[in-house]
PDB file of all heavy atoms in Angstrom:
ATOM      1  N   PRO A 268     236.937  77.013  64.978  1.00 97.00           N
ATOM      2  CA  PRO A 268     236.990  75.562  65.242  1.00 97.00           C
ATOM      3  C   PRO A 268     235.944  75.126  66.255  1.00 97.00           C
ATOM      4  O   PRO A 268     235.372  74.030  66.127  1.00 97.00           O
ATOM      5  CB  PRO A 268     238.418  75.370  65.771  1.00 97.00           C
ATOM      6  CG  PRO A 268     239.205  76.471  65.146  1.00 97.00           C
ATOM      7  CD  PRO A 268     238.269  77.643  65.097  1.00 97.00           C
ATOM      8  N   ALA A 269     235.672  75.941  67.260  1.00 96.00           N
ATOM      9  CA  ALA A 269     234.652  75.595  68.257  1.00 96.00           C
ATOM     10  C   ALA A 269     233.269  75.502  67.620  1.00 96.00           C
ATOM     11  O   ALA A 269     232.465  74.635  67.980  1.00 96.00           O
ATOM     12  CB  ALA A 269     234.651  76.620  69.385  1.00 96.00           C
ATOM     13  N   GLN A 270     232.991  76.376  66.666  1.00 97.00           N
ATOM     14  CA  GLN A 270     231.703  76.308  65.982  1.00 97.00           C
ATOM     15  C   GLN A 270     231.607  75.071  65.098  1.00 97.00           C
ATOM     16  O   GLN A 270     230.542  74.452  65.013  1.00 97.00           O
ATOM     17  CB  GLN A 270     231.495  77.592  65.150  1.00 97.00           C
ATOM     18  CG  GLN A 270     231.195  78.823  65.987  1.00 97.00           C
ATOM     19  CD  GLN A 270     231.137  80.085  65.160  1.00 97.00           C
ATOM     20  OE1 GLN A 270     231.953  80.298  64.247  1.00 97.00           O
ATOM     21  NE2 GLN A 270     230.169  80.945  65.455  1.00 97.00           N
ATOM     22  N   VAL A 271     232.701  74.705  64.464  1.00 98.00           N
ATOM     23  CA  VAL A 271     232.704  73.482  63.656  1.00 98.00           C
ATOM     24  C   VAL A 271     232.422  72.271  64.532  1.00 98.00           C
ATOM     25  O   VAL A 271     231.622  71.389  64.183  1.00 98.00           O
ATOM     26  CB  VAL A 271     234.042  73.320  62.912  1.00 98.00           C
ATOM     27  CG1 VAL A 271     234.084  71.974  62.192  1.00 98.00           C
ATOM     28  CG2 VAL A 271     234.247  74.468  61.918  1.00 98.00           C
ATOM     29  N   GLU A 272     233.051  72.207  65.691  1.00 98.00           N
ATOM     30  CA  GLU A 272     232.812  71.097  66.609  1.00 98.00           C
ATOM     31  C   GLU A 272     231.367  71.105  67.107  1.00 98.00           C
ATOM     32  O   GLU A 272     230.744  70.044  67.255  1.00 98.00           O
ATOM     33  CB  GLU A 272     233.779  71.170  67.792  1.00 98.00           C
ATOM     34  CG  GLU A 272     235.202  70.791  67.440  1.00 98.00           C
ATOM     35  CD  GLU A 272     235.285  69.395  66.809  1.00 98.00           C
ATOM     36  OE1 GLU A 272     234.661  68.445  67.366  1.00 98.00           O
ATOM     37  OE2 GLU A 272     235.940  69.266  65.764  1.00 98.00           O
ATOM     38  N   ALA A 273     230.832  72.291  67.351  1.00 97.00           N
ATOM     39  CA  ALA A 273     229.432  72.396  67.771  1.00 97.00           C
ATOM     40  C   ALA A 273     228.509  71.889  66.674  1.00 97.00           C
ATOM     41  O   ALA A 273     227.510  71.201  66.947  1.00 97.00           O
ATOM     42  CB  ALA A 273     229.094  73.840  68.128  1.00 97.00           C
ATOM     43  N   HIS A 274     228.830  72.214  65.435  1.00 98.00           N
ATOM     44  CA  HIS A 274     228.037  71.697  64.305  1.00 98.00           C
ATOM     45  C   HIS A 274     228.054  70.180  64.285  1.00 98.00           C
ATOM     46  O   HIS A 274     227.000  69.542  64.138  1.00 98.00           O
ATOM     47  CB  HIS A 274     228.570  72.224  62.975  1.00 98.00           C
ATOM     48  CG  HIS A 274     228.198  71.369  61.813  1.00 98.00           C
ATOM     49  ND1 HIS A 274     226.937  71.381  61.249  1.00 98.00           N
ATOM     50  CD2 HIS A 274     228.919  70.426  61.135  1.00 98.00           C
ATOM     51  CE1 HIS A 274     226.887  70.491  60.274  1.00 98.00           C
ATOM     52  NE2 HIS A 274     228.071  69.908  60.166  1.00 98.00           N
ATOM     53  N   ARG A 275     229.229  69.584  64.408  1.00 98.00           N
ATOM     54  CA  ARG A 275     229.333  68.126  64.332  1.00 98.00           C
ATOM     55  C   ARG A 275     228.544  67.461  65.450  1.00 98.00           C
ATOM     56  O   ARG A 275     227.842  66.467  65.226  1.00 98.00           O
ATOM     57  CB  ARG A 275     230.813  67.716  64.380  1.00 98.00           C
ATOM     58  CG  ARG A 275     231.583  68.133  63.140  1.00 98.00           C
ATOM     59  CD  ARG A 275     233.080  67.932  63.295  1.00 98.00           C
ATOM     60  NE  ARG A 275     233.799  68.355  62.087  1.00 98.00           N
ATOM     61  CZ  ARG A 275     235.110  68.508  61.994  1.00 98.00           C
ATOM     62  NH1 ARG A 275     235.875  68.286  63.072  1.00 98.00           N
ATOM     63  NH2 ARG A 275     235.667  68.892  60.856  1.00 98.00           N
ATOM     64  N   ARG A 276     228.633  68.001  66.635  1.00 98.00           N
ATOM     65  CA  ARG A 276     227.893  67.452  67.779  1.00 98.00           C
ATOM     66  C   ARG A 276     226.383  67.586  67.577  1.00 98.00           C
ATOM     67  O   ARG A 276     225.636  66.612  67.736  1.00 98.00           O
ATOM     68  CB  ARG A 276     228.329  68.172  69.047  1.00 98.00           C
ATOM     69  CG  ARG A 276     227.628  67.684  70.314  1.00 98.00           C
ATOM     70  CD  ARG A 276     228.055  68.496  71.524  1.00 98.00           C
ATOM     71  NE  ARG A 276     227.653  69.907  71.419  1.00 98.00           N
ATOM     72  CZ  ARG A 276     228.496  70.908  71.250  1.00 98.00           C
ATOM     73  NH1 ARG A 276     229.803  70.700  71.154  1.00 98.00           N
ATOM     74  NH2 ARG A 276     228.051  72.158  71.163  1.00 98.00           N
ATOM     75  N   ASP A 277     225.949  68.776  67.181  1.00 97.00           N
ATOM     76  CA  ASP A 277     224.517  69.017  67.028  1.00 97.00           C
ATOM     77  C   ASP A 277     223.952  68.310  65.805  1.00 97.00           C
ATOM     78  O   ASP A 277     222.775  67.928  65.793  1.00 97.00           O
ATOM     79  CB  ASP A 277     224.244  70.518  66.947  1.00 97.00           C
ATOM     80  CG  ASP A 277     224.488  71.223  68.272  1.00 97.00           C
ATOM     81  OD1 ASP A 277     224.538  70.542  69.314  1.00 97.00           O
ATOM     82  OD2 ASP A 277     224.639  72.465  68.264  1.00 97.00           O
ATOM     83  N   TRP A 278     224.763  68.136  64.775  1.00 98.00           N
ATOM     84  CA  TRP A 278     224.325  67.418  63.581  1.00 98.00           C
ATOM     85  C   TRP A 278     224.025  65.966  63.908  1.00 98.00           C
ATOM     86  O   TRP A 278     222.995  65.417  63.490  1.00 98.00           O
ATOM     87  CB  TRP A 278     225.387  67.540  62.497  1.00 98.00           C
ATOM     88  CG  TRP A 278     225.190  66.732  61.242  1.00 98.00           C
ATOM     89  CD1 TRP A 278     226.085  65.863  60.694  1.00 98.00           C
ATOM     90  CD2 TRP A 278     224.065  66.755  60.350  1.00 98.00           C
ATOM     91  NE1 TRP A 278     225.604  65.327  59.530  1.00 98.00           N
ATOM     92  CE2 TRP A 278     224.356  65.863  59.295  1.00 98.00           C
ATOM     93  CE3 TRP A 278     222.857  67.428  60.354  1.00 98.00           C
ATOM     94  CZ2 TRP A 278     223.474  65.627  58.238  1.00 98.00           C
ATOM     95  CZ3 TRP A 278     221.958  67.191  59.297  1.00 98.00           C
ATOM     96  CH2 TRP A 278     222.261  66.306  58.272  1.00 98.00           C
ATOM     97  N   GLN A 279     224.881  65.341  64.688  1.00 97.00           N
ATOM     98  CA  GLN A 279     224.633  63.945  65.086  1.00 97.00           C
ATOM     99  C   GLN A 279     223.393  63.841  65.971  1.00 97.00           C
ATOM    100  O   GLN A 279     222.595  62.913  65.840  1.00 97.00           O
ATOM    101  CB  GLN A 279     225.864  63.377  65.796  1.00 97.00           C
ATOM    102  CG  GLN A 279     227.070  63.183  64.889  1.00 97.00           C
ATOM    103  CD  GLN A 279     226.743  62.330  63.662  1.00 97.00           C
ATOM    104  OE1 GLN A 279     226.143  61.248  63.785  1.00 97.00           O
ATOM    105  NE2 GLN A 279     227.152  62.799  62.486  1.00 97.00           N
ATOM    106  N   ALA A 280     223.221  64.805  66.863  1.00 97.00           N
ATOM    107  CA  ALA A 280     222.022  64.803  67.706  1.00 97.00           C
ATOM    108  C   ALA A 280     220.772  65.008  66.861  1.00 97.00           C
ATOM    109  O   ALA A 280     219.728  64.383  67.098  1.00 97.00           O
ATOM    110  CB  ALA A 280     222.136  65.898  68.767  1.00 97.00           C
ATOM    111  N   PHE A 281     220.865  65.870  65.846  1.00 97.00           N
ATOM    112  CA  PHE A 281     219.738  66.128  64.951  1.00 97.00           C
ATOM    113  C   PHE A 281     219.381  64.868  64.163  1.00 97.00           C
ATOM    114  O   PHE A 281     218.199  64.511  64.033  1.00 97.00           O
ATOM    115  CB  PHE A 281     220.115  67.264  64.004  1.00 97.00           C
ATOM    116  CG  PHE A 281     219.037  67.665  63.040  1.00 97.00           C
ATOM    117  CD1 PHE A 281     217.961  68.435  63.444  1.00 97.00           C
ATOM    118  CD2 PHE A 281     219.105  67.276  61.706  1.00 97.00           C
ATOM    119  CE1 PHE A 281     216.970  68.814  62.559  1.00 97.00           C
ATOM    120  CE2 PHE A 281     218.128  67.649  60.814  1.00 97.00           C
ATOM    121  CZ  PHE A 281     217.057  68.411  61.238  1.00 97.00           C
ATOM    122  N   LEU A 282     220.389  64.181  63.639  1.00 97.00           N
ATOM    123  CA  LEU A 282     220.141  62.933  62.924  1.00 97.00           C
ATOM    124  C   LEU A 282     219.486  61.900  63.833  1.00 97.00           C
ATOM    125  O   LEU A 282     218.626  61.132  63.402  1.00 97.00           O
ATOM    126  CB  LEU A 282     221.451  62.382  62.350  1.00 97.00           C
ATOM    127  CG  LEU A 282     222.091  63.185  61.211  1.00 97.00           C
ATOM    128  CD1 LEU A 282     223.457  62.601  60.867  1.00 97.00           C
ATOM    129  CD2 LEU A 282     221.185  63.187  59.984  1.00 97.00           C
ATOM    130  N   GLY A 283     219.877  61.898  65.099  1.00 97.00           N
ATOM    131  CA  GLY A 283     219.283  60.971  66.054  1.00 97.00           C
ATOM    132  C   GLY A 283     217.809  61.230  66.284  1.00 97.00           C
ATOM    133  O   GLY A 283     217.047  60.309  66.609  1.00 97.00           O
ATOM    134  N   ARG A 284     217.380  62.491  66.110  1.00 96.00           N
ATOM    135  CA  ARG A 284     215.959  62.823  66.269  1.00 96.00           C
ATOM    136  C   ARG A 284     215.158  62.523  65.004  1.00 96.00           C
ATOM    137  O   ARG A 284     213.923  62.572  65.029  1.00 96.00           O
ATOM    138  CB  ARG A 284     215.801  64.317  66.627  1.00 96.00           C
ATOM    139  CG  ARG A 284     216.399  64.695  67.974  1.00 96.00           C
ATOM    140  CD  ARG A 284     215.918  66.070  68.434  1.00 96.00           C
ATOM    141  NE  ARG A 284     216.302  67.144  67.529  1.00 96.00           N
ATOM    142  CZ  ARG A 284     217.456  67.800  67.590  1.00 96.00           C
ATOM    143  NH1 ARG A 284     218.372  67.447  68.503  1.00 96.00           N
ATOM    144  NH2 ARG A 284     217.719  68.791  66.756  1.00 96.00           N
ATOM    145  N   HIS A 285     215.862  62.242  63.920  1.00 97.00           N
ATOM    146  CA  HIS A 285     215.186  61.952  62.649  1.00 97.00           C
ATOM    147  C   HIS A 285     215.760  60.671  62.037  1.00 97.00           C
ATOM    148  O   HIS A 285     216.330  60.700  60.933  1.00 97.00           O
ATOM    149  CB  HIS A 285     215.367  63.127  61.679  1.00 97.00           C
ATOM    150  CG  HIS A 285     214.756  64.399  62.164  1.00 97.00           C
ATOM    151  ND1 HIS A 285     213.437  64.734  61.926  1.00 97.00           N
ATOM    152  CD2 HIS A 285     215.279  65.424  62.900  1.00 97.00           C
ATOM    153  CE1 HIS A 285     213.172  65.912  62.468  1.00 97.00           C
ATOM    154  NE2 HIS A 285     214.264  66.352  63.077  1.00 97.00           N
ATOM    155  N   PRO A 286     215.593  59.554  62.716  1.00 97.00           N
ATOM    156  CA  PRO A 286     216.199  58.312  62.220  1.00 97.00           C
ATOM    157  C   PRO A 286     215.675  57.885  60.856  1.00 97.00           C
ATOM    158  O   PRO A 286     216.398  57.225  60.093  1.00 97.00           O
ATOM    159  CB  PRO A 286     215.826  57.293  63.306  1.00 97.00           C
ATOM    160  CG  PRO A 286     214.632  57.871  63.987  1.00 97.00           C
ATOM    161  CD  PRO A 286     214.839  59.344  63.965  1.00 97.00           C
ATOM    162  N   ASP A 287     214.450  58.282  60.535  1.00 96.00           N
ATOM    163  CA  ASP A 287     213.878  57.919  59.234  1.00 96.00           C
ATOM    164  C   ASP A 287     214.530  58.662  58.079  1.00 96.00           C
ATOM    165  O   ASP A 287     214.446  58.233  56.923  1.00 96.00           O
ATOM    166  CB  ASP A 287     212.375  58.174  59.230  1.00 96.00           C
ATOM    167  CG  ASP A 287     212.033  59.624  59.564  1.00 96.00           C
ATOM    168  OD1 ASP A 287     212.727  60.218  60.412  1.00 96.00           O
ATOM    169  OD2 ASP A 287     211.082  60.167  58.971  1.00 96.00           O
ATOM    170  N   LYS A 288     215.201  59.768  58.369  1.00 96.00           N
ATOM    171  CA  LYS A 288     215.841  60.571  57.324  1.00 96.00           C
ATOM    172  C   LYS A 288     217.363  60.476  57.367  1.00 96.00           C
ATOM    173  O   LYS A 288     218.034  61.037  56.498  1.00 96.00           O
ATOM    174  CB  LYS A 288     215.444  62.045  57.493  1.00 96.00           C
ATOM    175  CG  LYS A 288     213.950  62.319  57.416  1.00 96.00           C
ATOM    176  CD  LYS A 288     213.452  62.175  55.989  1.00 96.00           C
ATOM    177  CE  LYS A 288     211.965  62.485  55.898  1.00 96.00           C
ATOM    178  NZ  LYS A 288     211.670  63.874  56.229  1.00 96.00           N
ATOM    179  N   LYS A 289     217.913  59.783  58.356  1.00 96.00           N
ATOM    180  CA  LYS A 289     219.356  59.776  58.577  1.00 96.00           C
ATOM    181  C   LYS A 289     220.119  59.319  57.327  1.00 96.00           C
ATOM    182  O   LYS A 289     221.058  59.983  56.872  1.00 96.00           O
ATOM    183  CB  LYS A 289     219.702  58.885  59.772  1.00 96.00           C
ATOM    184  CG  LYS A 289     221.179  58.883  60.159  1.00 96.00           C
ATOM    185  CD  LYS A 289     221.393  58.062  61.419  1.00 96.00           C
ATOM    186  CE  LYS A 289     222.836  58.174  61.930  1.00 96.00           C
ATOM    187  NZ  LYS A 289     223.804  57.568  61.000  1.00 96.00           N
ATOM    188  N   THR A 290     219.739  58.182  56.761  1.00 96.00           N
ATOM    189  CA  THR A 290     220.431  57.653  55.590  1.00 96.00           C
ATOM    190  C   THR A 290     220.318  58.605  54.407  1.00 96.00           C
ATOM    191  O   THR A 290     221.299  58.852  53.689  1.00 96.00           O
ATOM    192  CB  THR A 290     219.866  56.278  55.208  1.00 96.00           C
ATOM    193  OG1 THR A 290     220.051  55.378  56.304  1.00 96.00           O
ATOM    194  CG2 THR A 290     220.572  55.720  53.987  1.00 96.00           C
TER     195      THR A 290
END
Side-chain angles (χ1 to χ4, degrees):
Q270 287 174 319
V271 174
E272 287 304 313
H274 157 77
R275 292 170 181 168
R276 180 183 64 249
D277 290 342
W278 173 234
Q279 291 306 311
F281 181 77
L282 292 173
R284 295 194 298 273
H285 297 273
D287 57 323
K288 301 288 182 64
K289 184 175 187 294
T290 300

